[in-house]
Amino acid sequence: MAELIAQTAKLAHSTAVSLLAHSQIKEGAKIPEILLKDNPETATVKVHDTPGKILIVGVPGAFTPPCSSQVPGYIENYQKFVDKGFGGIYIVSVNDAFVMNAWKEKLAPQGTPVHFVADDTAHFVSALGLVMDATGLLGGPRSKRFVIIAQDGKVVRVKVEDEAPNVTVTKADAILAESEI
C-alpha cells in the first residue's frame, strides 16, 4: 500500500510539473509579470519591471553543491557586469525567502549587491518555461539552471544548461566572455 501511495505521489508531482511548464521563453519575449520575494512576508521584487540591462540567474537549489559553486562567480565579478552595463544581478531559486537570505549570508557574509530572490511557488520559472521535475533529488519542481539577459523587461538572450548539475554556459565567466553582452 505504501508503495502504491509513493508511486501515485510521484506521478502527481510529475503531472503538476508538466501542467505548470510553458514552452521555454525566447529572445524578444517579455519577462513574466510575477513578483518574487527577497523577504519572507511579501513578494515585492519586480524583475519584469526593472529598467536597463539585468541578469536573471536561475538555479535548482540554494545550498546545493553545483549552485553554491556557480553563484560566487556572479558575486566576485559583479563590478565587471556593472562595467558592461548591467544594473542588477538576480539569483532566482525555487526556495523560500528564509533559505535564500541564509544562502546569501553564507556566500557573501560581508554583503553583496547581488539580489537573492525566492520563487517559492515555482510560478516564475514555470512561466519562463524553465521548470523541471526534481522530485527524486530536491523534492519537487525546481528551476532549470539558466541565465537570462534582459533589457527593460524583455529577453535579450537565454542560456540553459543541458543537465541541471552542469555549470558551463551559465558560468559568470562564460557570460562575461560573450562579446554581445
Coordinates of all heavy atoms in Angstrom, one line a residue, residues 9-10 13-14 17 132-141:
A9 N 2.0 9.6 -5.6 CA 2.5 10.9 -5.3 C 3.6 11.3 -6.3 O 3.6 12.5 -6.8 CB 3.1 10.9 -3.9
K10 N 4.4 10.4 -6.7 CA 5.5 10.7 -7.7 C 4.8 11.1 -9.1 O 5.2 12.1 -9.7 CB 6.4 9.6 -7.9 CG 7.6 9.9 -8.8 CD 8.5 8.7 -8.9 CE 9.7 9.0 -9.8 NZ 10.6 8.0 -9.9
H13 N 3.3 14.5 -8.8 CA 4.3 15.6 -8.9 C 4.7 15.8 -10.3 O 4.8 16.9 -10.8 CB 5.5 15.2 -8.0 CG 5.8 16.1 -6.9 ND1 5.5 15.8 -5.6 CD2 6.2 17.4 -6.9 CE1 5.9 16.8 -4.8 NE2 6.3 17.8 -5.6
S14 N 5.0 14.7 -11.0 CA 5.4 14.9 -12.4 C 4.3 15.5 -13.3 O 4.6 16.3 -14.1 CB 5.7 13.5 -13.0 OG 6.9 13.0 -12.4
V17 N 4.3 19.3 -12.6 CA 5.4 20.0 -13.2 C 5.0 20.1 -14.7 O 5.2 21.2 -15.3 CB 6.7 19.2 -13.1 CG1 7.8 19.8 -14.0 CG2 7.1 19.3 -11.6
M132 N 11.7 22.3 -13.9 CA 12.0 20.8 -14.1 C 11.5 20.0 -12.9 O 11.3 20.6 -11.9 CB 13.5 20.6 -14.3 CG 14.3 20.9 -13.1 SD 16.0 20.4 -13.3 CE 16.7 20.8 -11.7
D133 N 11.2 18.8 -13.2 CA 10.8 17.9 -12.1 C 12.1 17.4 -11.4 O 12.8 16.6 -11.9 CB 10.0 16.7 -12.6 CG 9.5 15.8 -11.5 OD1 9.7 16.1 -10.3 OD2 8.8 14.8 -11.9
A134 N 12.3 17.8 -10.2 CA 13.5 17.4 -9.4 C 13.0 16.6 -8.2 O 13.6 16.7 -7.1 CB 14.3 18.6 -9.0
T135 N 11.9 15.9 -8.3 CA 11.3 15.2 -7.2 C 12.3 14.3 -6.5 O 12.4 14.2 -5.3 CB 10.0 14.5 -7.6 OG1 9.1 15.4 -8.2 CG2 9.3 13.8 -6.5
G136 N 13.0 13.5 -7.3 CA 13.9 12.5 -6.8 C 15.0 13.1 -5.9 O 15.4 12.5 -5.0
L137 N 15.5 14.2 -6.3 CA 16.7 14.8 -5.6 C 16.3 15.9 -4.7 O 16.8 16.0 -3.5 CB 17.7 15.3 -6.6 CG 19.0 15.8 -6.0 CD1 19.8 14.7 -5.2 CD2 19.9 16.3 -7.2
L138 N 15.4 16.8 -5.1 CA 15.1 18.0 -4.3 C 13.7 18.1 -3.9 O 13.3 19.1 -3.3 CB 15.5 19.3 -5.2 CG 17.0 19.4 -5.5 CD1 17.2 20.5 -6.5 CD2 17.9 19.5 -4.3
G139 N 12.9 17.1 -4.1 CA 11.6 17.0 -3.5 C 10.4 17.6 -4.3 O 9.3 17.5 -3.9
G140 N 10.7 18.2 -5.5 CA 9.5 18.7 -6.3 C 10.0 19.5 -7.4 O 11.2 19.5 -7.8
P141 N 9.2 20.4 -8.0 CA 9.5 21.2 -9.1 C 10.6 22.2 -8.7 O 10.6 22.8 -7.6 CB 8.3 21.9 -9.5 CG 7.2 21.5 -8.6 CD 7.8 20.6 -7.6

